[in-house]
Amino acid sequence: MEGRKPLVKAEELVLPSVAALAPYEPGKPVEEVERELGIKNVVKLASNENPVGPSPLAIKAIQNALHELNRYPDGDSYYLRQRLAQHHNVSPQRIFLGDGSCEILNLLAQLFLRPGLNAVISAHSFVIYSLAIAAAGAQAKVVPLRNFTLDLDAMADAIDESTRLVFLGNPNNPTGTIYKRDAWERFLARVPPRTVIVADEAYFEFVRDPDYPDSLRYHDGERLLVTLRTFSKIFGLAGLRIGYAVAREDIVGMLNHIRQPFNVSTLAQVAVLAAMDDHEHVRKTLEVNARGVAYLEREFRRLGLDFVPTQANFFLVDVGDGRAVFEKLLRLGVIVRPMNSYGLPRHVRISVGLEEENHRLIEALETVLKAS
Ligand SMILES: *Cc1c(COP(=O)(O)O)cnc(C)c1O
């Protein structure tokens, strides 16, 4: 192995769009940051996770299922699809479960895109969209944000005869903003019949704006519309990797053609079945988030920081030099997300934490800003 020069490099054997990609930057494990800095109690506000923790009912369900781990999961997620179908009042044939909603984003790109076709996305939206498009060898048509919000009129303008997918984050990550009902309905009226609309509603439960359009209300049996939801955010189960799509039966059918037969683990299935009944956990999460949002807004204003008002559980904050502030906060034991890879070098994205975590963040932020 050592010393030999390869005749052919791996990147010569893959799609040029794949070779050109920068890999997703997940950030270091908290334990590693603590070890390197020689500090304890590092606060992680970098991945929009639920700071309250997982649902206690989900934990109990997982403990009860541990002795079955010698068996493969139910490849149909039978009970869970029944439960979700009942919850949304649709047939189970319209529910598709994934290894996180990110898997479903990838499968949709694999299904509907190929070289010569394109997908329309917004600038400064979830990085997984552009990764999935590039992995399928297709072109991303990127439309600028307007006032930190998806510009659905401009996105509709960008759709051409080769556009097979439009990815819409609502709320959008990393801006935390939503598009409203009137813009959404105008958009729907303009999307041509061969373009699949993906409404990624990972933060659905956090939204307070009454003009927020729930895309599930717009499935009419004809429209090529896919609604994505996840258990990673409000339900606090990001580590289990489970999310789902609601779509037409024929779209779910095609997704089933290409997915791995056991893409959703046993523990994920039982945990979600339990978490869906844990209304107390959801209520508490929303309360902690609402209080955190109000506190952080107040403190960002006091510190003279420009931020984007959020409908989710995170803030996009203009700190001048996002990378530098990220590094300095890290040394004070607070992990946020720099936004260079999102094309926003002035910003950091900060997830709303528990009360004491938010205090730690503001204290550290104040120290960093005063020193510069
Ligand atoms: C967190 C997030 C998801 C959820 O991804 P999972 O794979 O379900 O954990 C999806 N879309 C956006 C925009 C997100 O921020």
Side-chain angles (χ1 to χ4, degrees):
M1 281 294 292
E2 300 298 315
R4 277 256 195 139
K5 273 239 172 68
L7 291 177
V8 182
K9 288 189 174 153
E11 52 262 42
E12 296 169 41
L13 302 174
V14 306
L15 286 164
S17 57
V18 171
L21 281 172
Y24 179 75
E25 268 184 71
K28 278 181 205 164
V30 171
E31 294 72 19
E32 192 54 24
V33 174
E34 290 182 337
R35 201 186 56 76
E36 281 176 15
L37 298 170
I39 55 175
K40 284 255 176 296
N41 304 319
V42 161
V43 172
K44 185 175 180 239
L45 301 173
S47 301
N48 304 344
E49 295 149 342
N50 186 332
V52 171
S55 146
L57 297 185
I59 294 174
K60 198 177 290 168
I62 287 172
Q63 281 165 342
N64 291 338
L66 287 175
H67 64 276
E68 293 166 33
L69 286 182
N70 55 317
R71 304 287 176 200
Y72 279 101
D74 168 12
D76 258 350
S77 301
Y78 180 82
Y79 295 108
L80 184 49
R81 281 193 306 112
Q82 294 278 335
R83 179 74 177 79
L84 285 165
Q86 179 198 8
H87 181 74
H88 291 303
N89 196 24
V90 299
S91 94
Q93 282 72 39
R94 294 189 44 212
I95 307 280
F96 180 85
L97 283 149
D99 182 18
S101 46
C102 287
E103 186 199 20
I104 310 178
L105 289 168
N106 268 307
L107 291 174
L108 287 165
Q110 214 180 307
L111 203 53
F112 293 116
L113 299 177
R114 54 192 167 271
L117 298 177
N118 72 66
V120 170
I121 58 174
S122 177
H124 319 300
S125 62
F126 198 33
V127 281
I128 305 300
Y129 308 152
S130 40
L131 288 182
I133 295 163
Q139 188 209 348
K141 293 184 86 176
V142 185
V143 177
L145 287 172
R146 192 186 168 109
N147 204 6
F148 287 103
T149 305
L150 296 202
D151 186 347
L152 292 194
D153 294 323
M155 291 180 87
D157 290 339
I159 295 174
D160 61 32
E161 63 285 355
S162 304
T163 305
R164 289 292 175 276
L165 280 171
V166 186
F167 289 112
L168 305 173
N170 205 34
N172 182 51
N173 177 7
T175 57
T177 53
I178 61 163
Y179 52 79
K180 301 200 179 177
R181 195 172 293 116
D182 51 349
W184 166 247
E185 290 180 357
R186 262 199 325 275
F187 176 79
L188 288 180
R190 290 186 57 197
V191 174
R194 299 176 84 81
T195 301
V196 180
I197 305 163
V198 181
D200 178 1
E201 298 176 340
Y203 303 94
F204 173 85
E205 298 84 354
F206 292 101
V207 177
R208 290 150 300 150
D209 192 320
D211 292 329
Y212 177 64
D214 173 355
S215 69
L216 281 178
R217 294 177 184 275
Y218 294 83
H219 288 257
D220 61 2
E222 196 174 314
R223 194 168 267 142
L224 286 173
L225 172 61
V226 180
T227 297
L228 291 182
R229 300 277 173 86
T230 182
F231 291 98
S232 298
K233 304 288 155 62
I234 190 118
F235 289 98
L237 298 172
L240 278 179
R241 313 303 306 124
I242 178 164
Y244 64 101
V246 182
R248 269 172 24 183
E249 237 179 279
D250 59 339
I251 298 181
V252 170
M254 287 299 112
L255 286 167
N256 277 326
H257 281 189
I258 59 168
R259 74 170 168 97
Q260 295 290 317
F262 302 110
N263 63 334
V264 180
S265 75
T266 304
L267 299 188
Q269 291 181 39
V270 299
V272 163
L273 273 168
M276 283 184 71
D277 290 326
D278 198 343
H279 305 294
E280 175 54 22
H281 175 258
V282 169
R283 191 199 58 72
K284 187 172 171 201
T285 301
L286 286 176
E287 186 185 305
V288 166
N289 191 64
R291 263 192 284 138
V293 164
Y295 167 77
L296 289 175
E297 281 185 347
R298 221 165 40 237
E299 292 297 307
F300 292 150
R301 282 205 187 94
R302 181 176 66 79
L303 297 175
L305 289 170
D306 248 348
F307 63 93
V308 183
T310 188
Q311 288 290 324
N313 64 345
F314 57 88
F315 279 99
L316 185 67
V317 186
D318 184 343
V319 291
D321 182 343
R323 171 69 59 181
V325 168
F326 157 75
E327 295 285 353
K328 289 174 186 166
L329 288 175
L330 189 64
R331 266 173 260 141
L332 296 173
V334 179
I335 311 178
V336 299
R337 177 81 63 171
M339 288 282 107
N340 304 65
S341 57
Y342 282 84
L344 294 164
R346 296 182 56 88
H347 291 78
V348 292
R349 192 191 65 201
I350 303 174
S351 308
V352 178
L354 298 172
E355 193 169 341
E356 53 277 22
E357 294 175 323
N358 298 334
H359 289 169
R360 280 276 307 281
L361 162 79
I362 292 300
E363 203 182 356
L365 203 48
E366 194 159 14
T367 305
V368 165
L369 294 171
K370 283 218 174 106
S372 61

